[in-house]
Amino acid sequence: EPEVTQTPSHQVTQMGQEVILRCVPISNHLYFYWYRQILGQKVEFLVSFYNNEISEKSEIFDDQFSVERPDGSNFTLKIRSTKLEDSAMYFCASSGGLTIPYTFGSGTRLTVV
Amino acid sequence: AQSVSQHNHHVILSEAASLELGCNYSYGGTVNLFWYVQYPGQHLQLLLKYFSGDPLVKGIKGFEAEFIKSKFSFNLRKPSVQWSDTAEYFCAVRGSGNTGKLIFGQGTTLQVKP
């Protein structure tokens, strides 16, 4: 069964540093998403991406965040200057269509110290 | 704004007990509803979904859910749980807009004792 792959599985970074979280969606999927889950809280939508542009973003997704699909296979989430409150599990997901359920990646646990 | 509420945060059951996890959503339009499961150390996996038609939907691993439109509910059930069902369960709704965004509930941690 096709998978969404996320790397790294765990990243520790110092406050103020830039991090890039990487995702390889399923190859024929068209819709891409990032979600995050702060420990003990609900899974929250960050951003959706379609046709090489952001289609929707949440209020969490401020100027410190950006997404890119640089080469047609990877889908990255960049946090420019990390804050302690960015510590969370970040999930990537992809879908072949709006009525097709997502496939989620296994997540990247980001710890900001 | 759309929201999803899961009533049970932590449920402990013995094997063979019946399970029902509550989920209510707030959205008046057409919704797609989902239950996802996250086993320890693994990614979110789809258990079942409701788009339209029969409000009683069956998913994997013996799970089912009933969509009750008048109650804005989509409760998850399983007649007899197993130790391997120990996991976190998330209800989610996809509604307005054309981006496919999901709104998740807070999650319910299910612990099944052998």
Side-chain angles (χ1 to χ4, degrees):
Chain A
E1 188 176 330
E3 290 186 346
V4 174
T5 306
Q6 288 188 244
T7 55
S9 57
H10 192 181
Q11 179 151 2
V12 181
T13 189
Q14 288 202 324
M15 193 167 52
Q17 294 296 303
E18 174 183 286
V19 294
I20 298 176
L21 310 182
R22 301 182 191 281
C23 170
V24 179
I26 293 172
S27 61
N28 60 350
H29 281 187
L30 303 173
Y31 295 84
F32 312 106
Y33 305 88
W34 283 100
Y35 287 79
R36 79 172 185 190
Q37 185 181 25
I38 294 171
L39 191 63
Q41 298 185 26
K42 63 171 69 179
V43 178
E44 301 172 291
F45 168 77
L46 290 178
V47 66
S48 60
F49 192 86
Y50 170 72
N51 201 26
N52 284 320
E53 61 183 21
I54 290 173
S55 49
E56 186 174 356
K57 60 183 180 180
S58 72
E59 61 226 26
I60 302 168
F61 195 89
D62 61 21
D63 292 344
Q64 293 300 311
F65 291 85
S66 63
V67 289
E68 207 175 32
R69 190 158 157 78
D71 55 12
S73 62
N74 291 285
F75 180 51
T76 61
L77 174 69
K78 183 193 290 186
I79 309 175
R80 288 191 185 80
S81 177
T82 50
K83 303 189 269 276
L84 294 176
E85 53 265 37
D86 294 326
S87 294
M89 181 74 90
Y90 288 80
F91 294 104
C92 173
S94 69
S95 169
L98 289 177
T99 59
I100 300 171
Y102 298 176
T103 300
F104 279 92
S106 52
T108 293
R109 179 164 296 286
L110 176 66
T111 303
V112 182
V113 296
Chain B
Q2 291 175 277
S3 66
V4 178
S5 176
Q6 292 180 240
H7 316 302
N8 320 98
H9 296 295
H10 196 168
V11 173
I12 302 173
L13 294 173
S14 298
E15 275 194 315
S18 65
L19 170 72
E20 180 160 2
L21 302 182
C23 173
N24 285 90
Y25 65 93
S26 66
Y27 181 62
T30 302
V31 291
N32 300 150
L33 294 156
F34 306 84
W35 275 96
Y36 282 88
V37 62
Q38 187 176 28
Y39 298 103
Q42 296 189 28
H43 61 280
L44 288 158
Q45 299 175 42
L46 182 68
L47 268 181
L48 47 78
K49 65 185 186 294
Y50 173 79
F51 284 162
S52 63
D54 188 344
L56 185 63
V57 292
K58 295 193 183 299
I60 61 172
K61 307 188 182 192
F63 286 91
E64 64 179 32
E66 186 174 12
F67 169 57
I68 303 179
K69 188 175 181 180
S70 60
K71 295 185 179 179
F72 298 90
S73 70
F74 189 56
N75 292 355
L76 181 71
R77 300 194 291 247
K78 185 170 183 177
S80 175
V81 295
Q82 301 171 316
W83 176 79
S84 58
D85 292 324
T86 295
E88 188 150 17
Y89 292 81
F90 295 92
C91 181
V93 63
R94 182 166 67 197
S96 63
N98 60 356
T99 65
K101 176 179 79 176
L102 291 181
I103 305 297
F104 283 88
Q106 306 94 310
T108 297
T109 302
L110 173 64
Q111 184 181 354
V112 180
K113 294 185 173 179

